[in-house]
Amino acid sequence: MIISCRWLSRYIELPADLNLLVQTLTFSGIEVEAVKPLPELPAGVVAAKVLSAEPIPGTDHLQVCSVEFGAGEPAQVVCGAPNCKAGMISVLALPGTELPGLTIKTATLRGVESRGMLCSERELGLSDNHAGIIELDASTPAGSSVNEIYELPDTILELEITPNRPDLLGYTGIARDLSASLGKPLRLPPVEHLPGEPSEETALTLVLEDPLKCPRYTARLLDGVNVKESPQWLKTALVKSGLRPINNIVDVTNFVMLELGHPLHAFDYGKLQPLDPSDGHPAVVARQARPEEEFVALDGKNLRLNPGDLVIADGRDASALAGVMGGKDTAISAATTSIVLEAACFQPGSIRATSYKHKLSTDSSYRFERHLSPHYVDLVSDRAVQLFLETAGGKVCNELYDAWPEPLKPRYLAVRPCRFRQLIGYELAGEEIIRYLEALGCEFIQYGAWIDGLIEDTSLIHCHHLEEEKAGKTEFSEIDCVHSLFFRIPPQRVDITREADLLEELARLAGYERIPRKKEAPRIMDRHAFRIRRGIEDWFADASFHETLNYSFCDPAQLADLALEPAETEAKLFRLVNPQSSNQSAMRITLLPQLLDNLRYNLNHGERNLKLMELGKVYLKEGDSQAEYLSFAAVLTGKMDPEHWSAAGKAIDFYQVKGLVEGLLRLLGVQETNTAALERPWLSAGDNLGFYAEDRVIASCGRLKTRVAQNFGIDLTLLKQDIWVIELDVDLLIDLTRGREKIFRELPRHPAVTRDLSFLIKTGVAYAEIAAAIKAVNPDLIRDVSIFDQYLGQQVPEGFRSMSLRIVVQDSEKTLTDERVDQVLASVREMLFRAWQINMR
């Protein structure tokens, strides 16, 4: 729901601080989804009269206009709007005026000089309407301030109303809720019932055939109305609330719907057919649709209805799809002189089903689906009649036609302050309870144990403490229970049906911050560290790794099998004083030996495609102190994917292992990494890689040396497949990602351009350095750099390699031209030559 703060301020004095208003609404249960300021327009934006509008030869839509704006000679303006015509009053922006995203300048169009621009609502930032230029009321003087006309500055709020609060679907409902929250008086518009003049000629037959789906239906007749353009104040109110002005009759029904929250509809009286031709009076019948009944809606859609749909018909055909949309055949037109004003209430489920079935969602159906009360139908009708007479003239014929078979009975509820204390947690005085609930429209009846003599039908009183007493569930003394406050519930609050609902309202209005906070239990775990650990385990589990769980003790001899230096190992090693066995005589300083034991065991039992991992602690001696670190290690061998008849399995290679590590780092949000060869005594010199962040190794991967594998009883010459190793410093990953926020980025709206380039590159230059340097040339446009081919061989000089790169270029603001892409790529080639003397092939 979109509302204007200027319009809302007619009903209640708003806080001067916008943030306070937003906070009050939000903590009152009315979520503010968006805030759009409408700033004051510059002085160069004024009302102007189009004196003449002549077509420009050679164009099919441009006109040269002479525009009077109240100061000096008329301005010559070129305009292409379809509704531009001589005599209209519009809005002119003079040269030098700054509009949202646009500066007005003197320009030449088709050889004709244009000194200014006639504006649409979108160009002024008022709405998204760009179908034509603004057409102001004909009585608006040229040169008038547009800020006064549109009541600027203003602020537009987009609100999310929960389905259980239909009373908030109008300005007055929101104002009433704010009145209770802020303690400020509510200023409701004065509504007076205007009696109609008896008329036999302008009469109506009203029939209510389905009171279950239409509990109440009312109609008023107005004759002699003049359908025309709405006054400017009315159009401004609708535009700011997101609706398009149509004519004064339709606009009044929309205005009242926004103001009071209850939809209305107006029929052309002259287009309605009678039930009985001999009677001659047009009829309005609320009935179910006939099987396969055809109906043409206001938007021109041809609908085929069924008996589940409720329609408002005349004596012959359906005139409106009840609560959803009116019909084209009985719509208001410029020729309309008499109208039937519908103010009704419909069963929410019926409206929801019809709207969903016919894919019609309107402002009317949105409100009726949320269970509007039939009690205020006559009030809404009276308000619309007042505005009809003010904007369209005419007279009211006859009294209100009202079909209401079962009028609502008043609802009464009892509130116990002791119950508030038990559920909410603090005391709220009776005077405060009365003040808050009366501000919401509840009528205070009496303070005591029961209402004596004030209400004839005591079955209407819902007194929950008496029900609890009968069920034996009450926890209060007799003294507590007699201190009850009785209220009459306003009919529009269909969501308040029991004492707990009133207690919830009191807690909301008194302020959730008053609810005492219980002392939070201290956290005994690092939630961020847990998420990172779980993320690592899930990532490798999704890649078909099996988790192992080994002892924290190790065999010191196996550390020598990893080719570690004995002296360096001994300095880090914790030996147990009384070990159970020699192969568990020290605390482990790496996870690899035990993983390699697990790998050997499975290979000896016939498994060839293996992926094993372990995340656990390692224990290191650091001088005179000791330290525990979280570490992760994985070993894998064989084929990456299971064999399948449709494709031969591919053996695991270096790039697949590297991709596993890179994918995990991206998932964890570690983007600023560098890569370089990393010396590890158990890894082959040519096939290893270290990942660095802040000059510290966070991950490594590589191929296990043949000699190290043999030390662990694995003969690679017989196995004929490589063993790959991955290691992660989990504690460092946790520290690097702590406090990092996820940043939302919009999906690109404009297409990307992909270019493939091949370069001759020295073998000593790392691809990672090249990719980072290319992105740095223009980070805003170069979105991705990837290698898709590399060639060493004939026609490539010795000491060089041919590398083919795919560069993706994309602008978030506009579609890139070929010229702009070529400029970016030229800068890339120039940078590569300057940095490494790299040339294109």
Side-chain angles (χ1 to χ4, degrees):
M1 180 176 172
I2 298 173
I3 67 168
S4 157
C5 288
R6 279 285 195 114
W7 187 355
L8 184 62
S9 65
R10 300 177 189 176
Y11 312 113
I12 184 174
E13 181 185 349
L14 298 179
D17 184 358
L18 177 63
N19 291 329
L20 177 58
L21 174 61
V22 171
Q23 182 180 354
T24 303
L25 287 169
T26 301
F27 279 92
S28 297
I30 306 171
E31 182 182 356
V32 180
E33 291 194 325
V35 178
K36 178 187 177 184
L38 293 182
E40 190 174 41
L41 293 170
V45 182
V46 294
K49 183 175 183 179
V50 180
L51 301 177
S52 63
E54 301 294 335
I56 296 178
T59 69
D60 58 354
H61 68 288
L62 293 180
Q63 300 181 82
V64 57
C65 306
S66 178
V67 181
E68 179 188 357
F69 58 94
E73 295 295 323
Q76 179 175 287
V77 178
V78 176
C79 182
N83 65 328
C84 180
K85 60 183 181 294
M88 71 180 294
I89 305 294
S90 188
V91 174
L92 174 67
L94 296 169
T97 302
E98 297 280 346
L99 294 179
L102 179 66
T103 300
I104 306 301
K105 300 177 181 178
T106 300
T108 301
L109 302 174
R110 294 297 181 98
V112 179
E113 186 180 54
S114 178
R115 296 188 291 272
M117 182 178 72
L118 294 173
C119 302
S120 67
E121 291 175 358
R122 188 173 73 179
E123 287 153 349
L124 296 184
L126 298 173
S127 74
D128 293 329
N129 184 11
H130 196 56
I133 58 175
I134 294 171
E135 187 166 0
L136 299 175
D137 192 280
S139 62
T140 306
S144 299
S145 169
V146 176
N147 292 319
E148 295 181 5
I149 295 171
Y150 282 100
E151 298 181 358
L152 299 175
D154 197 355
T155 302
I156 305 300
L157 302 180
E158 186 175 343
L159 308 179
E160 176 64 30
I161 307 300
T162 55
N164 66 320
R165 292 297 304 275
D167 59 298
L168 297 177
L169 293 173
Y171 277 84
T172 54
I174 295 170
R176 179 181 290 107
D177 211 78
L178 281 174
S179 172
S181 298
L182 298 172
K184 295 186 177 182
L186 180 66
R187 303 189 294 260
L188 293 177
V191 180
E192 179 184 358
H193 176 74
L194 300 173
E197 299 178 12
S199 174
E200 286 293 332
E201 295 181 357
T202 307
L204 187 73
T205 301
L206 177 59
V207 179
L208 181 57
E209 290 187 0
D210 194 342
L212 181 63
K213 291 185 177 180
C214 180
R216 187 181 187 186
Y217 193 97
T218 69
R220 293 302 300 267
L221 299 181
L222 286 91
D223 189 26
V225 298
N226 180 20
V227 179
K228 57 183 179 179
E229 191 174 333
S230 296
Q232 189 58 47
W233 67 266
L234 180 53
K235 291 195 291 185
T236 297
L238 296 181
V239 165
K240 288 185 177 181
S241 295
L243 297 183
R244 181 174 59 89
I246 298 175
N247 58 53
N248 54 346
I249 301 298
V250 176
D251 292 350
V252 163
T253 61
N254 286 333
F255 178 89
V256 175
M257 176 189 70
L258 293 172
E259 182 181 55
L260 300 179
H262 198 111
L264 300 164
H265 187 68
F267 300 98
D268 187 327
Y269 176 82
K271 297 177 182 178
L272 296 174
Q273 302 298 318
L275 272 174
D276 184 359
S278 62
D279 179 24
H281 294 152
V284 171
V285 183
R287 61 170 172 82
Q288 293 195 47
R290 305 185 187 104
E292 300 298 311
E293 183 172 6
E294 293 187 354
F295 172 71
V296 181
L298 276 173
D299 60 0
K301 289 184 179 179
N302 291 296
L303 305 178
R304 195 173 295 276
L305 309 180
N306 287 298
D309 300 317
L310 182 70
V311 299
I312 307 302
D314 57 14
R316 187 175 62 191
D317 301 314
S319 301
L321 196 56
V324 179
M325 185 176 287
K328 194 172 183 179
D329 294 339
T330 57
I332 303 298
S333 67
T336 300
T337 57
S338 300
I339 65 171
V340 177
L341 173 64
E342 167 196 284
C345 191
F346 304 105
Q347 199 268 336
S350 169
I351 302 302
R352 190 179 301 112
T354 297
S355 174
Y356 178 79
K357 180 169 67 176
H358 297 292
K359 302 298 184 289
L360 288 175
S361 181
T362 62
D363 288 309
S364 176
S365 66
Y366 173 79
R367 286 165 170 80
F368 281 123
E369 287 172 8
R370 282 155 173 76
H371 195 177
L372 297 178
S373 170
H375 185 83
Y376 293 105
V377 164
D378 49 348
L379 173 72
V380 176
S381 179
D382 288 340
R383 176 61 170 160
V385 168
Q386 279 184 332
L387 295 176
F388 280 144
L389 297 180
E390 179 183 334
T391 60
K395 65 178 181 179
V396 184
C397 297
N398 302 320
E399 274 301 323
L400 176 74
Y401 293 85
D402 191 353
W404 196 6
E406 294 186 15
L408 286 179
K409 295 180 179 180
R411 286 177 293 133
Y412 299 88
L413 284 176
V415 178
R416 293 165 290 169
C418 58
R419 185 64 168 166
F420 182 89
R421 184 185 68 245
Q422 184 204 34
L423 291 182
I424 309 302
Y426 65 93
E427 295 278 355
L428 195 65
E431 293 75 12
E432 282 188 279
I433 293 176
I434 295 171
R435 177 166 58 85
Y436 283 130
L437 294 184
E438 284 187 336
L440 288 178
C442 298
E443 181 185 352
F444 176 61
I445 303 298
Q446 182 175 307
Y447 186 85
W450 191 248
I451 302 178
D452 298 320
L454 296 180
I455 300 174
E456 294 181 2
D457 186 359
T458 56
S459 65
L460 302 175
I461 306 171
H462 299 272
C463 204
H464 288 273
H465 68 267
L466 295 181
E467 297 172 9
E468 290 172 355
E469 278 185 3
K470 293 177 182 178
K473 296 180 180 180
T474 182
E475 301 177 11
F476 306 104
S477 68
E478 184 178 349
I479 296 177
D480 286 332
C481 290
V482 299
H483 293 157
S484 297
L485 289 83
F486 290 86
F487 292 89
R488 177 173 176 169
I489 308 303
Q492 76 269 17
R493 292 305 302 269
V494 294
D495 59 309
I496 298 178
T497 59
R498 53 183 182 159
E499 182 188 27
D501 296 328
L502 286 178
L503 298 180
E504 181 183 349
E505 291 296 293
L506 291 170
R508 179 176 67 88
L509 296 174
Y512 293 126
E513 69 277 2
R514 292 179 61 177
I515 299 176
R517 295 182 61 184
K518 294 182 179 179
K519 186 177 180 181
E520 295 183 0
R523 290 185 177 180
I524 59 174
M525 65 175 290
D526 186 339
R527 294 180 181 272
H528 171 72
F530 175 80
R531 284 193 293 268
I532 298 301
R533 290 181 56 180
R534 179 58 60 85
I536 294 172
E537 292 172 331
D538 288 348
W539 173 260
F540 283 95
D542 291 343
S544 301
F545 279 73
H546 295 278
E547 188 171 11
T548 65
L549 185 62
N550 294 297
Y551 288 112
S552 296
F553 311 121
C554 71
D555 185 352
Q558 288 188 322
L559 299 177
D561 293 339
L562 278 179
L564 290 172
E565 289 292 335
E568 183 180 347
T569 301
E570 194 63 34
K572 298 178 180 178
L573 201 62
F574 279 106
R575 292 187 179 271
L576 302 183
V577 176
N578 186 24
Q580 292 183 352
S581 62
S582 60
N583 62 356
Q584 291 186 352
S585 61
M587 304 298 290
R588 63 186 179 183
I589 62 173
T590 175
L591 305 178
L592 278 179
Q594 292 158 310
L595 273 176
L596 290 172
D597 281 343
N598 301 144
L599 185 70
R600 182 190 67 246
Y601 178 87
N602 283 276
L603 288 171
N604 291 341
H605 284 76
E607 295 292 336
R608 287 296 177 265
N609 302 319
L610 290 167
K611 299 176 185 176
L612 305 178
M613 67 171 178
E614 182 174 5
L615 192 154
K617 287 186 176 182
V618 294
Y619 307 85
L620 300 175
K621 187 188 296 182
E622 296 180 349
D624 295 332
S625 62
Q626 57 188 24
E628 298 180 8
Y629 297 103
L630 269 178
S631 182
F632 174 89
V635 293
L636 56 166
T637 186
K639 295 179 179 179
M640 191 57 138
D641 300 311
E643 292 186 0
H644 192 265
W645 63 266
S646 62
K650 182 181 178 182
I652 298 170
D653 59 25
F654 172 76
Y655 297 103
Q656 291 173 324
V657 177
K658 173 174 173 281
L660 278 173
V661 179
E662 289 176 333
L664 173 65
L665 296 180
R666 281 195 300 269
L667 176 69
L668 299 181
V670 183
Q671 301 288 352
E672 303 81 11
T673 59
N674 298 316
T675 56
L678 180 68
E679 291 188 8
R680 288 284 190 263
W682 54 86
L683 297 179
S684 298
D687 290 328
N688 67 77
L689 192 65
F691 294 81
Y692 296 82
E694 300 178 0
D695 297 328
R696 293 184 290 178
V697 180
I698 57 174
S700 63
C701 62
R703 183 165 56 87
L704 190 71
K705 287 181 177 179
T706 303
R707 179 171 53 82
V708 173
Q710 289 174 343
N711 292 341
F712 283 87
I714 303 172
D715 191 344
L716 294 182
T717 59
L718 295 177
L719 189 63
K720 295 182 181 179
Q721 60 191 47
D722 294 323
I723 297 175
W724 300 91
V725 176
I726 297 173
E727 289 184 286
L728 304 174
D729 187 334
V730 180
D731 279 331
L732 184 53
L733 285 172
I734 291 171
D735 291 339
L736 287 173
T737 55
R738 192 180 300 278
R740 291 194 178 186
E741 296 182 358
K742 291 184 178 180
I743 301 174
F744 168 77
R745 291 187 177 89
E746 290 187 358
L747 291 174
R749 299 182 180 181
H750 303 281
V753 178
T754 302
R755 295 287 176 88
D756 295 341
L757 303 177
S758 294
F759 299 95
L760 276 176
I761 302 174
K762 293 179 181 178
T763 53
V765 181
Y767 160 71
E769 295 182 38
I770 295 173
I774 291 175
K775 290 181 180 180
V777 169
N778 196 326
D780 294 332
L781 295 184
I782 300 177
R783 296 301 176 91
D784 188 46
V785 179
S786 60
I787 179 173
F788 68 90
D789 189 33
Q790 180 171 275
Y791 175 70
L792 293 167
Q794 295 181 358
Q795 300 180 352
V796 176
E798 187 176 349
F800 287 82
R801 65 190 190 277
S802 173
M803 184 181 292
S804 297
L805 302 178
R806 180 159 293 152
I807 302 176
V808 179
V809 186
Q810 188 176 39
D811 194 329
S812 59
E813 301 295 332
K814 59 182 180 295
T815 300
L816 289 171
T817 62
D818 288 338
E819 292 79 4
R820 180 61 178 134
V821 175
D822 291 340
Q823 290 174 2
V824 174
L825 296 181
S827 300
V828 169
R829 291 194 296 270
E830 180 183 349
M831 179 277 300
L832 291 176
F833 181 80
R834 188 173 59 250
W836 293 287
Q837 290 75 51
I838 295 175
N839 290 306
M840 286 189 62
R841 288 197 64 188

